[in-house]
Amino acid sequence: MSTTAGASLRPLAQSLKALTLRPIQRRAVTDYASLRDNLPRKVGMFGQKKVFHSPQADEPRRHIKIHAPLPAPASKTPIESLTSLQLATLDPTGAKQKMFSRHNPDSVKVGDILQVRRKNGEQPFAGVVINIRRRGVDSAFLLRGQVTRIGVEVWFKLYSPLIEGIDLVQRTEKRKRRAKLFYLRKPEHDFGSVANIVGQYMRQRAILRGEGPKNGQQGQRGGKTGKKGGKKN
Amino acid sequence: MIQLKSMLNCIDNSGAAVVECVQVLKMKRAAKVGDRIVVVVQKQRNLAADLAGAAAAAQKVRRGDISHAVVVRTKKKYGRPDGSFVRFDDNACVLINKAGDPMGTRLNGAVAQELRGKQWSKILSLAPAFV
């Protein structure tokens, strides 16, 4: 700002006696060259602090109600604890968890043949496991089988209360090199019907449990016993 | 997901083998199991000329005929209320007349259970199996 501007402002400032104009007036006559050395390096941070002073800053602070901290969560991993809580009701024996656990060397792997018995009176569905989805209570597995020579794939929720039991009918001969066996959908890799293998397994199990083949049908209804029978084979 | 130009297998004994969807009825999106569609017969199961008199009479539709149909299997997986999902290896349908009764007298191949809640129980009872 030049001296002419300062001269024009001076009478106005005197008449108003405004405090706001005074720093400007003072600045107008400042020798910048000498001031530069005295000012802190960052003018924007320190030099202008008082000029842009908030009017409320000198007033006492408003009373802000400070709430007591919330009680600490029961565990540091709430989702995990919720999952274990839900599994305690959905899978009280832990048999299904163990059957699909990664840490269990005897767990179900892709390529195994499973049979799922349902509580709503539907036909049991059997097929090759082509995908396992491990997501806590939402865990599921994809079975591929055939019904009247038509390929059918069904996702089952592992912990669904509508599932009466899961039988491990046959293990895969060799460990599959893939986690998801979608190639089984191709005609050249299709496993075909598993009805023969399942039928053989059912007959064998009926003999092992000392039941006639006709009583074997009744024996299937026992949920947990059926599952254990599946694991032995 | 059955839409215009979708080719479906016809699994009844009405005489059609492969049909093409030309219209999905009562909807502005793709048809799924239990939905009614309009189809054109593209392939006949057996040519009527090759068959004997009684068998030829059983062939109710010929190539180029337009008919209504119900989708009974879809390749697109569909969810069930219990959280499970089902998909078939092919798209299939059953031809029906305007009243909704199946044209054929027997079906060969499984159908989806979803037909039950949608007035297609007659088709479901004809089917050898349902998933």
Side-chain angles (χ1 to χ4, degrees), chain A residues 44 76 171 197:
Chain A
K76 285 187 175 177
R171 287 189 186 281
I197 301 165

Side-chain angles (χ1 to χ4, degrees), chain A residues 16 48 53 83 100 114-115 134 152 154 191-192 223:
Chain A
L16 287 169
Q48 294 179 348
H53 197 92
T83 303
F100 281 84
L114 289 189
Q115 190 191 31
R134 292 186 179 89
V152 184
V154 186
F191 205 85

Side-chain angles (χ1 to χ4, degrees), chain B residues 57-75:
Chain B
Q59 304 280 318
K60 285 167 187 155
V61 291
R62 310 193 65 174
R63 190 176 163 276
D65 282 0
I66 297 169
S67 169
H68 281 211
V70 188
V71 180
V72 294
R73 292 198 296 254
T74 55
K75 207 165 177 181

Side-chain angles (χ1 to χ4, degrees), chain A residues 37 39 53 57 73 93-94 99 117 119 137 152 157 179 188 204 208 219 231:
Chain A
D37 305 326
L39 276 171
H53 197 92
T93 57
M99 203 173 174
R117 286 174 281 113
K119 275 184 186 162
V137 276
V152 184
K157 295 284 177 198
E188 64 265 35
Q204 214 168 40
L208 279 170
K231 280 191 170 179

Side-chain angles (χ1 to χ4, degrees), chain A residues 160-202:
Chain A
S160 168
L162 296 170
I163 288 178
E164 194 184 323
I166 303 163
D167 300 329
L168 181 47
V169 174
Q170 193 186 61
R171 287 189 186 281
T172 175
E173 291 161 26
K174 262 171 81 177
R175 187 187 73 87
K176 293 285 182 285
R177 293 191 172 196
R178 275 146 190 77
K180 301 176 199 313
L181 308 183
F182 293 139
Y183 64 84
L184 291 179
R185 288 171 182 167
K186 291 181 180 173
E188 64 265 35
H189 295 288
D190 199 353
F191 205 85
S193 177
V194 293
N196 287 341
I197 301 165
V198 173
Q200 201 180 2
Y201 160 77
M202 297 301 277

Side-chain angles (χ1 to χ4, degrees), chain A residues 144 148 151 153-155 162 185, chain B residues 82-87 89 110:
Chain A
R144 181 181 168 83
T148 63
E153 286 175 20
V154 186
W155 273 105
L162 296 170
R185 288 171 182 167
Chain B
D82 66 346
S84 60
F85 282 85
V86 183
R87 80 179 270 278
D89 273 1

Side-chain angles (χ1 to χ4, degrees), chain B residues 35-56:
Chain B
D35 287 338
R36 202 166 165 158
I37 57 174
V38 183
V39 296
V40 173
V41 179
Q42 298 285 24
K43 262 187 197 169
Q44 273 174 256
R45 204 160 281 282
N46 282 312
L47 286 173
D50 302 339
L51 295 167

Side-chain angles (χ1 to χ4, degrees), chain A residues 9-225:
Chain A
L9 278 169
R10 199 164 289 160
L12 190 75
Q14 280 169 352
S15 64
L16 287 169
K17 288 184 179 176
L19 287 168
T20 48
L21 280 175
R22 207 169 280 167
I24 299 167
Q25 189 188 359
R26 206 182 284 160
R27 255 194 204 173
V29 293
T30 315
D31 181 12
Y32 280 99
S34 64
L35 196 64
R36 198 185 298 148
D37 305 326
N38 299 331
L39 276 171
R41 269 277 172 85
K42 288 184 177 175
V43 177
M45 281 182 75
F46 302 106
Q48 294 179 348
K49 200 176 179 184
K50 286 216 164 174
V51 179
F52 299 107
H53 197 92
S54 166
Q56 283 98 28
D58 295 332
E59 289 172 15
R61 281 190 175 177
R62 277 180 301 152
H63 181 70
I64 297 167
K65 197 182 175 190
I66 297 166
H67 297 274
L70 288 167
S75 72
K76 285 187 175 177
T77 51
I79 297 295
E80 277 174 32
S81 55
L82 177 69
T83 303
S84 58
L85 197 73
Q86 285 171 323
L87 288 184
T89 53
L90 290 168
D91 185 27
T93 57
K96 285 181 177 176
Q97 280 176 70
K98 201 186 164 197
M99 203 173 174
F100 281 84
S101 166
R102 275 188 207 279
H103 308 295
N104 179 12
D106 295 332
S107 68
V108 173
K109 306 273 195 305
V110 288
D112 293 356
I113 295 173
L114 289 189
Q115 190 191 31
V116 176
R117 286 174 281 113
R118 288 172 276 194
K119 275 184 186 162
N120 54 4
E122 280 176 48
Q123 287 285 314
F125 187 83
V128 187
V129 183
I130 63 172
N131 193 355
I132 299 172
R133 187 176 180 273
R134 292 186 179 89
R135 302 284 190 288
V137 276
D138 200 31
S139 296
F141 52 93
L142 180 58
L143 293 189
R144 181 181 168 83
Q146 275 191 343
V147 181
T148 63
R149 297 175 70 192
I150 299 293
V152 184
E153 286 175 20
V154 186
W155 273 105
F156 287 103
K157 295 284 177 198
L158 175 56
Y159 299 113
S160 168
L162 296 170
I163 288 178
E164 194 184 323
I166 303 163
D167 300 329
L168 181 47
V169 174
Q170 193 186 61
R171 287 189 186 281
T172 175
E173 291 161 26
K174 262 171 81 177
R175 187 187 73 87
K176 293 285 182 285
R177 293 191 172 196
R178 275 146 190 77
K180 301 176 199 313
L181 308 183
F182 293 139
Y183 64 84
L184 291 179
R185 288 171 182 167
K186 291 181 180 173
E188 64 265 35
H189 295 288
D190 199 353
F191 205 85
S193 177
V194 293
N196 287 341
I197 301 165
V198 173
Q200 201 180 2
Y201 160 77
M202 297 301 277
R203 263 176 268 127
Q204 214 168 40
R205 201 177 71 169
I207 293 162
L208 279 170
R209 297 166 84 202
E211 291 165 350
K214 278 180 185 174
N215 296 344
Q217 285 292 321
Q218 257 184 348
Q220 285 169 38
R221 301 257 161 81
K224 273 143 210 168
T225 50

